[in-house]
Amino acid sequence: MSRHETSPTTVQPASHHRPNACCFCWCCCCSCSWYVPPPAPPPDGQGSRGQGGRQGRLRVAGPSATKPTPEEVRGWAQSFDKLMKSPAGRNVFREFLRTEYSEENMLFWLACEELKNECNTHTIDEKARMIYEDYISILSPKEVSLDSRVREVINRKMQEPSSHTFDDAQLQIYTLMHRDSYPRFLNSAIYKSLLQSVSRSSSES
């Protein structure tokens, strides 16, 4: 796992990730997919950071998801908030984070969003502990990068978990993705290829 110190639509619970499923609908089918041409391979022909088998297929979440419009995709470059409020945008950004080995940041953010929408006390307690084990524990391979102050706050709140136990941590990871990963995403082959693809499709229709 790489963390970059200077470096959710249905949300999957934190403890049930299925690596072979479609990257956001978790349905093990490709009926929800739309295709983006893969970026050109690097000079060594090995693919991005060990991801040589990736073919540039980006998937949009949910049964009613549609391919984003050129205007929507261009809007993602206007602000990080627009990107994160778009289900398709989150999906593409997550694909980019995976190439940088920092997908855990998006997974944690999504798990926190799901927790905040939970009302059942028993379920909140259960999900909060799963989030802690998956993303906060120093023993987890998916541990996210948090400062000591936020960790202390979480440890106190975990004595009686609530739907907002991880609010401070979620904000810190959101800020990290905004400041660190987002600028690189806008300059990435994934984003540029998508923008080119949807623009071309729009002009042909």
Side-chain angles (χ1 to χ4, degrees):
M1 177 191 73
S2 293
R3 283 174 279 159
H4 305 274
E5 295 288 345
T6 64
S7 254
T9 315
T10 300
V11 178
Q12 179 68 9
S15 64
H16 294 84
H17 309 314
R18 293 165 55 186
N20 294 324
C22 291
C23 72
F24 234 65
C25 72
W26 309 93
C27 63
C28 291
C29 72
C30 292
S31 60
C32 63
S33 305
W34 43 271
Y35 182 76
V36 176
D44 61 6
Q46 294 302 312
S48 175
R49 298 185 63 179
Q51 299 288 328
R54 308 195 66 79
Q55 296 299 315
R57 182 176 294 275
L58 304 179
R59 301 172 177 91
V60 179
S64 61
T66 58
K67 186 175 182 178
T69 65
E71 292 73 20
E72 183 179 3
V73 177
R74 282 192 289 268
W76 300 342
Q78 296 173 5
S79 76
F80 186 60
D81 286 344
K82 284 187 177 182
L83 174 69
M84 292 294 283
K85 287 177 180 178
S86 164
R90 292 192 301 268
N91 193 34
V92 177
F93 186 52
R94 176 179 167 183
E95 184 79 3
F96 168 75
L97 293 176
R98 185 180 292 121
T99 70
E100 293 203 331
Y101 298 92
S102 58
E103 183 187 15
E104 68 277 0
N105 289 331
M106 178 63 83
L107 294 175
F108 171 69
W109 188 89
L110 291 169
C112 291
E113 285 295 289
E114 181 183 17
L115 180 66
K116 287 192 292 188
N117 292 324
E118 186 55 64
C119 298
N120 181 276
T121 302
H122 175 75
T123 305
I124 289 174
D125 184 88
E126 184 180 63
K127 288 185 176 181
R129 297 190 186 283
M130 287 191 292
I131 291 174
Y132 188 93
E133 292 174 2
D134 279 354
Y135 303 109
I136 309 300
S137 171
I138 60 174
L139 300 177
S140 174
K142 295 181 293 185
E143 177 198 3
V144 295
S145 180
L146 300 171
D147 63 34
S148 58
R149 179 193 66 82
V150 170
R151 287 185 175 277
E152 289 175 4
V153 170
I154 292 174
N155 287 334
R156 289 197 302 269
K157 290 183 175 182
M158 282 301 294
Q159 296 176 19
E160 292 184 25
S162 75
S163 58
H164 296 280
T165 292
F166 302 101
D167 281 4
D168 289 345
Q170 186 185 23
L171 176 59
Q172 190 166 100
I173 293 303
Y174 185 92
T175 302
L176 175 64
M177 292 190 294
H178 183 190
R179 293 178 178 177
D180 182 58
S181 302
Y182 176 59
R184 289 197 300 276
F185 166 73
L186 295 180
N187 288 313
S188 70
I190 286 178
Y191 178 67
K192 291 179 178 179
S193 174
L194 172 59
L195 182 58
Q196 182 182 28
S197 174
V198 295
S199 297
R200 182 170 59 246
S201 296
S202 177
S203 64
E204 292 174 352
S205 60

